[in-house]
């Protein structure tokens, strides 16, 4: 049986960043990433907004994002990192909290924050129209956006060059044992069955039972012995956790994303717009080599599950467009040119879940990145690599408060800066 020192389940930004950081420490040999479809189009890391920000309400999130952003700034060209800033619109309640609580905190890290009245904001960003119900706004120029695809390929490239192996198109379906080495069973995933492998409902605590009327799973099998396992399966992390008998509190939430073209609207030089009163965000996006606008709305009625079905044009017209054109009236006659559905992987307090899995020696979490996985992946990958190699968090980034243990009697984070 094939033996693997460190098996990372999931090759999104989480798994890839960890493999990269291990490889950079000379520990790449012995690392394998298993993924249902590592170069495919269903992982969240290929379906997100690419936003990078250090503006959070929790110090730990600022520290992680800041350390990551410093790295992205060293690789601006390669990652297409553009430090265009974030522009925030607040309602009355959040504006109050922002001014008293988290803006002073953000500034205490040396990060600049410009506060503006809605009128000042409109003067600075003339593309904006109706801000009548906005209580206050901020611009945080240190923030920006990058290409999540380039970031992930950069991590994977470094990982492979450092000796890490890619087990592409393998689905982990069973993990046996309560101590290392674990016996891990994978099943071959054909190109045609990728979506099915990622969407077919599994029972909460394992793969579907082979009951009456269900065909036995006769796919090619690979069984390996793994000394260490890292659950980096993003929105699917609870399914993987169920394979080793744990109930991981990560919830998958589908998010609809739309792309619009209007020749007179080019947001490229402008910030990433976060609109709290309306629960939408919008930003520049390049589509067919031309400027487009990406918009996404946080629908409170969206059921939590894995579901890649696109709600389509009617949904955009009814729910998303009225919100967007309120802010940018010129987009009223914009052409809807594309879109997609990706999944948030939410932890109960919107903070990452990293570090050792309780009661499972040698199994580690790296998931629950809660819509900030891209921006935080570099520092989290580095810290996880330090933990795996040296047995402790790096001195400058102790992540004890982000372990799975916090979902017991310990205090949760109170992160509110999330759309
Ligand atoms: C619409 C949208 C917008 C977002 N905007 C931003 C943003 O602006 N900035 C930001 O930082 N973050 C953003 N995010 C969040 C970000 O995309 C995620 O936090 C991040 O991509 C999670 O990465 P991951 O590696 O944990 O998961 P994923 O990228 O989903 O990777 C998980 C991988 O695990 C594999 N897998 C699952 N089960 C198995 C199994 N049993 N066997 C083998 N492989 C398996 C899957 O195939 C997948 O490739 C956004 C997300 C969405 C959906």
């Amino acid at each position: 049986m094939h033996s693997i020192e460190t098996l990372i389940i999931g090759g999104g930004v989480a798994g890839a960043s960890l493999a990269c950081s291990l490889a950079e420490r000379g520990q790449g040999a012995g690392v394998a990433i298993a993924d249902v479809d590592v170069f495919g189009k269903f992982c969240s890391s290929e379906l997100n907004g690419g936003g990078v920000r250090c503006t959070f309400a929790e110090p730990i999130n600022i520290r992680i994002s800041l350390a990551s952003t410093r790295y992205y700034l060293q690789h601006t060209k390669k990652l297409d990192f553009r430090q265009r800033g974030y522009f925030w619109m607040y309602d009355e309640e959040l504006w109050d909290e922002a001014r008293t609580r988290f803006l002073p905190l953000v500034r205490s890290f040396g990060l600049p924050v410009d506060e503006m009245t809605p009128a000042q904001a409109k003067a600075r960003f003339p593309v904006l129209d109706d801000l009548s119900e906005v209580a206050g706004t901020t611009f945080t120029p240190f923030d920006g956006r990058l290409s999540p695809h380039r970031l992930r390929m950069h991590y994977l490239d470094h990982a492979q060059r450092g000796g890490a192996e890619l087990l592409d198109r393998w689905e982990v379906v069973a993990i046996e044992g309560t101590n290392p080495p674990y016996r891990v069973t994978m099943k071959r995933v054909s190109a045609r069955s990728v979506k099915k492998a990622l969407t077919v409902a599994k029972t909460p605590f394992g793969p579907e039972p082979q009951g009456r009327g269900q065909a036995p799973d006769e796919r090619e099998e690979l069984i390996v012995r793994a000394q260490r396992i890292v659950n980096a399966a993003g929105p699917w992390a609870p399914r993987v956790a169920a394979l080793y008998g744990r109930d991981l509190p990560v919830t998958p939430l589908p998010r609809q994303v739309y792309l619009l073209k209007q020749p007179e609207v080019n947001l490229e030089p402008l910030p990433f717009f976060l609109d709290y009163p309306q629960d939408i965000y919008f930003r520049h996006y390049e589509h067919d080599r031309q400027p487009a606008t990406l918009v996404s709305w946080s629908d409170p009625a969206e059921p939590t599950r894995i579901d890649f079905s696109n709600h389509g044009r009617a949904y955009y017209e009814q729910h998303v467009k009225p919100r967007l054109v309120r802010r940018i009236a010129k987009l009223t006659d914009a052409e809807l040119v594309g879109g997609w559905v990706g999944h948030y992987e939410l932890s109960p307090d919107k903070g990452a879940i990293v570090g050792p899995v309780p009661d499972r020696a040698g199994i580690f979490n790296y998931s629950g990145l809660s819509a900030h996985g891209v921006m935080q992946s570099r520092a989290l990958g580095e810290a996880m690599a330090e933990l795996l190699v040296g047995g402790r968090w790096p001195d400058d980034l102790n992540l004890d408060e982000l372990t799975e243990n916090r979902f017991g009697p310990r205090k949760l984070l109170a992160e509110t800066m999330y759309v």
Side-chain angles (χ1 to χ4, degrees):
M1 194 189 302
H2 191 48
S3 265
I4 293 175
E5 185 61 32
T6 303
L7 175 66
I8 301 174
I9 304 173
V13 280
S17 64
L18 171 59
C20 169
S21 292
L22 286 169
E24 286 171 356
R25 282 163 178 71
Q27 305 287 320
V31 172
I33 299 178
D35 200 299
V36 167
D37 190 16
V38 81
F39 298 112
K41 56 180 181 179
F42 294 105
C43 71
S44 304
S45 301
E46 296 290 332
L47 299 168
N48 60 77
V52 174
R53 63 178 163 100
C54 300
T55 320
F56 284 92
E58 280 288 331
I60 189 69
N61 280 329
I62 300 178
R63 274 200 287 278
I64 297 167
S65 273
L66 188 51
S68 299
T69 308
R70 288 196 179 113
Y71 179 81
Y72 306 145
L73 280 168
Q74 288 165 20
H75 301 275
T76 44
K77 285 232 159 63
K78 191 167 186 196
L79 307 179
D80 196 20
F81 181 50
R82 299 182 189 206
Q83 205 169 26
R84 302 281 194 259
Y86 261 55
F87 176 78
W88 305 72
M89 294 166 241
Y90 305 87
D91 56 24
E92 204 75 58
E93 194 188 331
L94 199 61
W95 184 229
D96 216 39
E97 194 193 338
R99 282 203 295 185
T100 52
R101 199 166 84 83
F102 52 74
L103 296 179
L105 176 74
V106 171
R107 289 190 178 109
S108 75
F109 281 82
L111 292 161
V113 181
D114 299 349
E115 284 180 36
M116 286 170 283
T117 62
Q120 289 168 326
K122 282 173 66 164
R124 184 160 183 176
F125 303 114
V127 74
L128 292 171
D129 288 291
D130 182 356
L131 299 184
S132 52
E133 90 295 21
V134 174
T137 75
T138 54
F139 175 62
T140 48
F142 192 77
D143 301 335
R145 57 174 197 264
L146 53 65
S147 159
H149 175 71
R150 289 201 197 180
L151 176 65
R152 197 165 73 94
M153 292 307 123
H154 167 80
Y155 289 146
L156 288 174
D157 178 44
H158 280 215
Q160 281 184 292
R161 279 202 263 158
E165 187 187 356
L166 280 188
L167 298 171
D168 188 19
R169 295 265 172 81
W170 287 102
E171 179 187 4
V172 172
V173 296
I175 299 173
E176 293 163 70
T178 46
N179 273 300
Y182 292 92
R183 187 178 195 270
V184 180
T185 306
M186 302 181 212
K187 293 278 188 176
R188 200 71 173 122
V189 182
S190 69
R192 277 185 307 142
S193 59
V194 168
K195 193 169 178 187
K196 187 172 161 216
L198 290 172
T199 48
V200 164
K202 306 280 200 296
T203 60
F205 292 102
E208 274 187 349
Q210 304 292 323
R212 259 165 48 137
Q214 272 172 313
D217 190 346
E218 284 170 350
R219 292 177 291 167
E220 185 191 345
E221 198 169 77
L222 173 66
I223 299 178
V224 299
R225 196 179 285 121
Q227 286 298 334
R228 266 193 313 221
I229 295 175
V230 180
N231 181 354
W236 299 272
R239 285 188 189 173
V240 169
L243 300 179
Y244 50 79
R246 298 280 309 175
D247 191 2
L248 184 69
V250 170
T251 311
L253 176 68
R255 280 294 298 248
Q256 308 278 321
V257 176
Y258 292 95
L259 297 181
L260 301 146
K261 244 188 227 173
Q262 211 292 348
E264 288 175 48
V265 177
N266 179 4
L267 304 183
E268 199 292 316
L270 299 180
F272 197 117
F273 291 88
L274 269 186
D275 182 345
Y276 273 110
Q278 302 198 103
D279 267 340
I280 59 167
Y281 59 79
F282 47 96
R283 52 155 282 193
H284 163 78
Y285 190 86
E286 196 176 287
H287 179 75
D288 280 349
R289 298 259 165 216
Q290 284 176 2
T293 299
L294 177 156
V295 61
S296 186
W297 173 52
S298 178
D299 181 351
E302 187 74 60
T304 55
R305 60 185 169 180
I306 299 282
D307 180 2
F308 284 99
S309 41
N310 194 312
H311 293 349
R313 181 180 296 273
Y315 179 91
Y316 166 74
E317 295 281 344
Q318 187 185 348
H319 298 290
V320 188
K321 182 174 173 180
R323 292 177 162 84
L324 180 63
V325 303
R326 178 170 197 179
R327 300 298 186 228
I328 305 183
K330 275 194 177 146
L331 288 172
T332 306
D333 62 353
E335 185 191 353
L336 183 58
V337 290
W340 61 78
V341 182
H343 292 82
Y344 281 1
E345 65 305 350
L346 301 173
S347 76
D349 61 6
K350 316 290 184 294
I353 308 176
V354 291
V357 171
D359 305 324
R360 297 290 184 279
I363 305 189
F364 296 82
N365 287 305
Y366 183 1
S367 69
L369 303 178
S370 302
H372 29 263
V374 173
M375 61 185 89
Q376 297 194 331
S377 57
R378 175 59 184 183
L380 289 176
E382 283 283 281
M384 283 290 295
E386 282 291 305
L387 181 72
L388 295 194
V389 173
R392 44 185 285 210
W393 297 117
D395 291 339
D396 56 354
L397 197 62
N398 187 315
L399 298 182
D400 273 345
E401 65 188 293
L402 294 182
T403 62
E404 191 182 330
N405 280 328
R406 75 182 185 276
F407 303 112
R410 285 172 50 181
K411 177 184 157 288
L412 300 188
L413 299 182
E415 186 55 73
T416 47
M417 300 294 279
Y418 141 86
V419 170

